[in-house]
Every structure is written in C-alpha cells, then in structure tokens.
Amino acid sequence: MDEPFAALDALTRLQMQRLIARLWQRHAATILLVTHDVDEALLLADRVLVLEHGRVGEDLPIDLERPRRTTQSDFAQLREHLLKRLGVTEQQDA
C-alpha cells in the first residue's frame, strides 16, 4: 500500500488504521506499507525501513505490544529516534 491514508481526514485515517490492524491480526497477511507518517508506521508495522538515497539506511524492528498507543513511552522513544534519523528535530522556544 502506497500512502493509503494520505488523503483522508484525521478521524477516518484513525478508523482505517485500526481496520488494517484488525485485518492483519485476523488474516496474518504480509502487508507492505509505504508512508511518510512516522506515527502511522509505528502504529501498524512490525518493522520499519528508512530509505536513504534509494538504499535501506536503517532496518528497525518494532517490538511494541498491541494494541499500540501513541502515549506509550516506548512509542515516544521510537518516534523520537525515527524523526531524528529522518532529520526532523524539535524546535526549542527561545
């Protein structure tokens, strides 16, 4: 799936993410999801690949318990790691 939720509003996106998670659990299918949304990747994936210049720059297993929540401390740590890896840093207020 290539950016399957990109054009959806926030509430519909959440519903579709939950639907995909339920379908995956029910059918044990392999799903390849391409996304630029770090939270979405962490919510749905068992493994995240970060591409750099057309090559795999990082292969990160995601060992978070399901169901996953963005409020989990482990989730936040992985999110911060991936954002830094992608060159996105938090701006400090001056």
Side-chain angles (χ1 to χ4, degrees), residues 40-60:
E40 186 169 272
L42 291 172
L43 284 169
L44 297 174
D46 292 321
R47 177 178 171 197
V48 171
L49 301 178
V50 177
L51 299 180
E52 287 181 342
H53 310 290
R55 299 190 187 279
V56 175
E58 182 164 1
D59 183 345
L60 181 65

Side-chain angles (χ1 to χ4, degrees), residues 4-90:
F5 313 124
L8 301 177
D9 64 82
L11 295 178
T12 304
R13 176 185 294 239
L14 288 172
Q15 291 173 333
M16 293 305 297
Q17 289 170 346
R18 290 177 182 154
L19 173 63
I20 292 297
R22 285 194 311 271
L23 289 171
W24 170 81
Q25 288 177 323
R26 183 176 301 142
H27 299 287
T30 298
I31 301 170
L32 177 63
L33 173 68
V34 176
T35 184
H36 290 89
D37 186 326
V38 170
D39 287 353
E40 186 169 272
L42 291 172
L43 284 169
L44 297 174
D46 292 321
R47 177 178 171 197
V48 171
L49 301 178
V50 177
L51 299 180
E52 287 181 342
H53 310 290
R55 299 190 187 279
V56 175
E58 182 164 1
D59 183 345
L60 181 65
I62 308 301
D63 295 323
L64 299 173
E65 284 188 37
R66 293 180 190 271
R68 295 179 181 164
R69 303 282 183 256
T70 57
T71 55
Q72 292 170 269
S73 63
D74 292 348
F75 186 101
Q77 290 171 355
L78 285 170
R79 182 179 191 276
E80 184 177 337
H81 170 79
L82 285 172
L83 288 173
K84 282 182 184 175
R85 188 75 168 84
L86 294 166
V88 178
T89 58
E90 253 185 69

